[in-house]
């Protein structure tokens, strides 16, 4: 059976880390390497992680330059056949999630699926606004991050390091680059993870949009990116005028 490295990046996550670790430890699939990368938290995050002993395969505690630097450290430490990034506060959807995906005998380069949005009490609120297509490839992300990285399991041998020039939207660039290297991409047609609802500041939203523009131009070209953004703008205006919710 293939081994999977699950990587959780943390910083001052004492209120969130337990739910994430629990969802990993409850998996019926046993071939799991669990790596936690902490950026020198000032709360009890590291203490809580250490309480679980060897159930955490590796704990890295050191300063980083941002989330993608920490994620790169997790990638470099990983030894599994596949990798999955699960943020603090996020969860695998059910105890049998990984068993259902990896116990099929398939040898895909990427497995992906749906993501449920939950609140702090763990209650499912809705599906993630952008849902993955039936057939995912690197061109599928032209209109945005249509697949959550919490629901994106990739073969480690084709995973590049994250581009540290990006601070907010680097996961889009990374996902596109992984898909460019993929031959077999399997839609699990099921929920893979639960994503903890949370808002971003206006400053981070602006920076994220700027980075996303740069990423789209780099991968799809200026003309295609302009056309796609005009489509997004027109769709936004239509929903505003019609009174419909974009979700």
């Amino acid at each position: 059976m293939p081994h999977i490295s699950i990587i959780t990046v943390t910083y001052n996550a004492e209120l969130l880390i337990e739910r994430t670790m629990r969802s990993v430890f409850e998996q019926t699939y046993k071939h799991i390497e669990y790596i936690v990368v902490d950026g020198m938290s000032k709360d009890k995050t590291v203490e809580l992680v250490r309480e679980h002993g060897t159930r955490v395969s590796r704990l890295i505690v050191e300063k980083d330059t941002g989330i993608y630097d920490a994620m790169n450290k997790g990638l470099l430490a990983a030894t599994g056949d596949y990798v999955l990034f699960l943020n603090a506060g996020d969860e695998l959807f059910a105890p049998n999630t990984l068993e259902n995906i990896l116990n099929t005998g398939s040898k895909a380069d990427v497995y992906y699926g749906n993501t449920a949005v939950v609140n702090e009490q763990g209650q499912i609120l809705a599906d993630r606004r952008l849902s993955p297509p039936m057939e995912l490839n690197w061109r599928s992300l032209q209109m945005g991050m249509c697949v959550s990285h919490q629901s994106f399991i990739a073969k480690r041998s084709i995973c590049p390091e994250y581009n540290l020039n990006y601070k907010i939207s680097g996961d889009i660039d990374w996902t596109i680059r992984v898909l460019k290297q993929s031959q077999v991409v399997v839609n699990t047609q099921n929920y893979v993870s639960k994503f903890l609802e949370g808002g971003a500041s206006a400053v981070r939203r602006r920076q994220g949009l700027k980075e996303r523009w740069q990423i789209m131009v780099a991968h799809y070209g200026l003309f295609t990116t302009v056309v796609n953004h005009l489509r997004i703008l027109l769709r936004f205006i239509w929903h505003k005028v019609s009174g419909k919710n974009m979700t």
Side-chain angles (χ1 to χ4, degrees), residues 7 15 53 61 66 93 112 121 195 201 213:
I7 302 166
L15 300 179
V61 183
F93 190 78
Y112 72 99
Q121 290 72 45
F195 169 74
S201 68
W213 171 270

Side-chain angles (χ1 to χ4, degrees), residues 8-242:
T8 298
V9 170
T10 63
Y11 184 71
N12 292 342
E14 65 178 5
L15 300 179
L16 302 173
I17 188 60
E18 284 288 356
R19 67 195 297 170
T20 303
M21 291 192 294
R22 183 175 61 250
S23 81
V24 174
F25 300 149
E26 289 177 349
Q27 290 299 300
T28 56
Y29 192 77
K30 300 305 178 186
H31 307 286
I32 297 174
E33 174 185 58
Y34 188 41
I35 300 170
V36 178
V37 183
D38 184 84
M40 300 289 287
S41 289
K42 295 177 174 59
D43 61 5
K44 295 182 179 179
T45 301
V46 174
E47 180 182 330
L48 292 172
V49 174
R50 284 178 172 151
E51 285 179 0
H52 292 279
T54 57
R55 299 180 82 180
V56 177
S57 307
R58 184 166 181 184
L59 171 62
I60 301 170
V61 183
E62 58 187 38
K63 289 185 178 179
D64 54 61
T65 60
I67 187 171
Y68 298 125
D69 182 31
M71 291 167 85
N72 280 342
K73 292 178 182 181
L75 266 180
L76 291 173
T79 63
D81 301 292
Y82 291 92
V83 295
L84 169 66
F85 287 97
L86 202 62
N87 290 344
D90 299 334
E91 305 164 77
L92 289 160
F93 190 78
N96 63 350
T97 294
L98 292 181
E99 183 170 13
N100 289 342
I101 294 171
L102 298 174
N103 211 20
T104 61
S106 172
K107 295 183 179 180
D109 295 312
V110 168
Y111 297 95
Y112 72 99
N114 296 322
T115 304
V117 179
V118 300
N119 59 20
E120 292 183 358
Q121 290 72 45
Q123 299 170 316
I124 295 177
L125 302 176
D127 287 352
R128 188 170 175 269
R129 184 174 66 81
L130 290 179
S131 299
M134 285 300 297
E135 295 185 5
L136 181 72
N137 60 58
W138 70 275
R139 295 187 182 277
S140 302
L141 282 78
Q142 293 184 59
M143 300 291 285
M145 190 68 172
C146 62
V147 59
S148 168
H149 76 265
Q150 296 94 331
S151 297
F152 187 86
I153 300 171
K155 188 176 289 184
R156 184 172 61 88
S157 60
I158 63 171
C159 290
E161 292 187 22
Y162 283 81
N163 187 336
L164 299 185
N165 290 323
Y166 303 121
K167 306 300 181 184
I168 308 296
S169 300
D171 51 336
I172 302 177
D173 172 71
W174 184 84
T175 302
I176 294 171
R177 288 191 288 145
V178 169
L179 288 170
K180 281 183 174 181
Q181 300 297 319
S182 302
Q183 299 293 321
V184 180
V185 180
V186 172
N187 184 352
T188 66
Q189 300 190 44
N190 219 323
Y191 288 93
V192 177
S193 67
K194 298 176 184 178
F195 169 74
L196 179 63
E197 181 185 43
S201 68
V203 173
R204 286 178 62 84
R205 282 198 298 270
R206 286 195 296 271
Q207 183 178 355
L209 288 171
K210 180 179 178 181
E211 289 183 2
R212 193 179 80 164
W213 171 270
Q214 294 170 343
I215 291 165
M216 297 302 178
V217 171
H219 288 288
Y220 304 119
L222 178 61
F223 177 78
T224 299
T225 302
V226 170
V227 171
N228 286 334
H229 277 71
L230 285 174
R231 289 170 61 191
I232 293 171
L233 177 61
L234 290 173
R235 186 177 62 182
F236 175 79
I237 293 172
W238 183 84
H239 279 87
K240 281 288 187 181
V241 171
S242 64

